[in-house]
Amino acid sequence: MKRLIFLLFLFIGLSASAQVKLLDMSHLQKRVSNADTVYIVNFWATWCGPCVAELPNYEKFQTTHKNQPVKILLVSMDFQSKLNTDVIPFIKKHQYKTEIFLAQRKSDEEWINAIDKDWSGALPGTLIVSQKKGIRKFYEQEFTYDELNKLYQANK
Amino acid sequence: MKKMMTLLLIAGLALTAFKPATEGYKVGDTAADFKLKNVDGKTISLANYTSAKGYIVVFTCNHCPYAQAYEKRIMELDKMYAGKGYPVIAISPNDPVALPEDSYPNMQKRAAERKYTFPYLLDETQDISHTYGVKATPHVFVLQKTASGNVVQYIGAIDDDTENANPNHTNYVQNAVNALLAGNKPAITSTKAIGCSIKWKKGA
């Protein structure tokens, strides 16, 4: 019985960490609108080498800043049909605790332009939003942990 | 003096024809020709295609899943339009040191396996990729051959349906080339799409 409960908890733990929510543009805009929080939104994909390589930096940043008003959102640009076959298994494997979404979009172009007119569409890309300071900046580049920290310090 | 003027004129033309590499081309610019090594070892230039009316220049590569998703459609574009005067010219912009899968031998292998009917060129110095302003793979530049050079008429994605799941998708490149063949300007001249960032050489 004890063992069953343990297994049950293990299962709940795994499925909770493997949650990937679909996110459309209006939800994303709403999600980053809290004035007390700085949002760092990273656009990545399971197939994108440099994206996968930098994800641990975002995870580490969120862990080391958990008591600060900053929130990391990881938005996958994988094909929507790959949610169950690629994205969820990837998250399960890496056990990321940062919030993960899959971009629900009609077309890539619509999504890209809504995020930032200057984004070419190349991955990875990162958006930082601070409503309080009126900041909304997009970076088409990779980030190290230190660079993320600097980005936050400069915009908080 | 006359010679001096001619030289100045040539210099001026060269400046207008070749914009700074960092900016990249915009629709209406005149695109530079190139000399790049094909997978068969030969050097290819746009000028080699004497009977072409224009070109579908596709920056693509081996490793990128988005490029792979479009590979068949790139091959179809060449089949559809090479005979009509718009051949596909594929160029790999990536630094093979950063991505061994995009090395010249691997490009040769992929072109042979998939039976590419178009050249697949390696931009070893990445100069042409910088000049064109390629942002991600795949990235298409439709050029129209005119008396004053190869004019950029369309920049962007092949269509708006990477997954090829929507039967009502818009074929941007086909529409652009069809318009040019009919003597018109493309209705949509630039689009964006998700893609794999270019692996530039370190320190470049």
Side-chain angles (χ1 to χ4, degrees):
Chain A
M1 187 60 190
K2 237 181 182 171
R3 202 161 160 193
L4 189 70
I5 292 175
F6 171 74
L7 278 174
L8 194 69
F9 270 99
L10 190 72
F11 177 74
I12 291 169
L14 278 178
S15 49
S17 67
Q19 250 191 20
V20 180
K21 286 169 258 174
L22 288 175
L23 184 77
D24 66 19
M25 187 52 67
S26 66
H27 278 107
L28 175 60
Q29 304 289 21
K30 219 178 282 169
R31 190 66 172 67
V32 299
S33 64
N34 184 348
D36 299 328
T37 306
V38 175
Y39 294 90
I40 300 175
V41 188
N42 172 247
F43 300 95
W44 64 285
T46 56
W47 49 260
C48 163
C51 306
V52 171
E54 70 170 358
L55 281 182
N57 303 334
Y58 286 84
E59 177 83 0
K60 184 182 165 194
F61 179 89
Q62 187 67 90
T63 316
T64 50
H65 292 77
K66 63 180 174 202
N67 297 322
Q68 295 190 44
V70 56
K71 184 81 195 153
I72 298 270
L73 307 176
L74 303 177
V75 180
S76 159
M77 296 304 295
D78 281 86
F79 295 143
Q80 281 159 258
S81 64
K82 301 283 184 188
L83 174 64
N84 292 316
T85 53
D86 291 21
V87 185
I88 290 178
F90 177 88
I91 297 311
K92 265 189 187 161
K93 187 178 147 202
H94 292 278
Q95 294 279 300
Y96 286 132
K97 289 173 195 74
T98 313
E99 263 192 279
I100 301 199
F101 302 92
L102 180 73
Q104 191 175 28
R105 70 264 190 202
K106 279 195 202 79
S107 78
D108 284 345
E109 182 169 25
E110 193 184 56
W111 183 276
I112 292 163
N113 286 330
I115 294 298
D116 193 286
K117 288 261 181 287
D118 290 333
W119 182 15
S120 76
L123 294 179
T126 290
L127 177 75
I128 181 163
V129 181
S130 166
Q131 297 288 4
K132 191 160 65 184
K133 286 208 157 179
I135 287 167
R136 188 189 166 97
K137 284 188 243 175
F138 186 81
Y139 299 86
E140 192 170 306
Q141 64 168 77
E142 295 154 42
F143 279 95
T144 63
Y145 174 81
D146 289 339
E147 285 166 347
L148 267 181
N149 217 351
K150 252 182 230 162
L151 179 75
Y152 172 56
Q153 298 303 334
N155 291 288
K156 69 172 185 180
Chain B
M1 188 60 194
K2 217 173 176 185
K3 210 167 169 184
M4 178 81 172
M5 289 296 281
T6 318
L7 274 174
L8 274 174
L9 193 69
I10 290 170
L13 276 175
L15 278 176
T16 50
F18 307 112
K19 295 186 64 173
T22 45
E23 277 277 317
Y25 289 137
K26 296 197 171 52
V27 170
D29 287 348
T30 303
D33 200 351
F34 41 73
K35 277 186 187 153
L36 297 174
K37 189 167 71 168
N38 191 13
V39 282
D40 64 4
K42 290 178 187 149
T43 303
I44 298 276
S45 292
L46 296 176
N48 297 146
Y49 293 75
T50 46
S51 62
K53 294 173 185 161
Y55 310 89
I56 303 172
V57 178
V58 185
F59 289 88
T60 185
C61 65
N62 278 12
H63 92 276
C64 172
Y66 258 68
Q68 289 165 11
Y70 272 115
E71 186 181 42
K72 264 194 183 155
R73 279 170 273 181
I74 294 168
M75 294 167 74
E76 279 163 17
L77 280 173
D78 190 59
K79 290 203 180 85
M80 243 184 279
Y81 292 111
K84 292 179 179 168
Y86 276 82
V88 164
I89 315 283
I91 302 173
S92 174
N94 285 338
D95 174 24
V97 177
L99 267 168
E101 205 182 326
D102 290 339
S103 71
Y104 183 67
N106 282 335
M107 286 171 60
Q108 290 178 308
K109 213 173 133 195
R110 190 161 190 111
E113 272 174 9
R114 309 294 163 120
K115 301 190 173 67
Y116 286 178
T117 54
F118 46 83
Y120 188 23
L121 312 173
L122 174 65
D123 185 10
E124 223 155 358
T125 62
Q126 300 187 314
D127 286 348
I128 287 302
S129 303
H130 274 297
T131 303
Y132 275 65
V134 56
K135 301 288 187 210
T137 50
H139 201 174
V140 179
F141 294 73
V142 175
L143 313 179
Q144 183 183 31
K145 201 197 265 187
T146 72
S148 55
N150 295 311
V151 178
V152 180
Q153 297 286 6
Y154 171 81
I155 302 173
I158 291 169
D159 56 40
D160 62 351
D161 181 23
T162 310
E163 271 198 283
N164 217 357
N166 173 14
N168 298 318
H169 67 223
T170 308
N171 292 314
Y172 298 128
V173 169
Q174 284 187 40
N175 291 352
V177 176
N178 287 342
L180 293 170
L181 285 171
N184 302 320
K185 294 275 178 204
I188 297 174
T189 54
S190 68
T191 58
K192 288 179 179 179
I194 294 292
C196 305
S197 53
I198 307 301
K199 308 310 176 266
W200 300 109
K201 287 181 199 296
K202 289 246 161 71

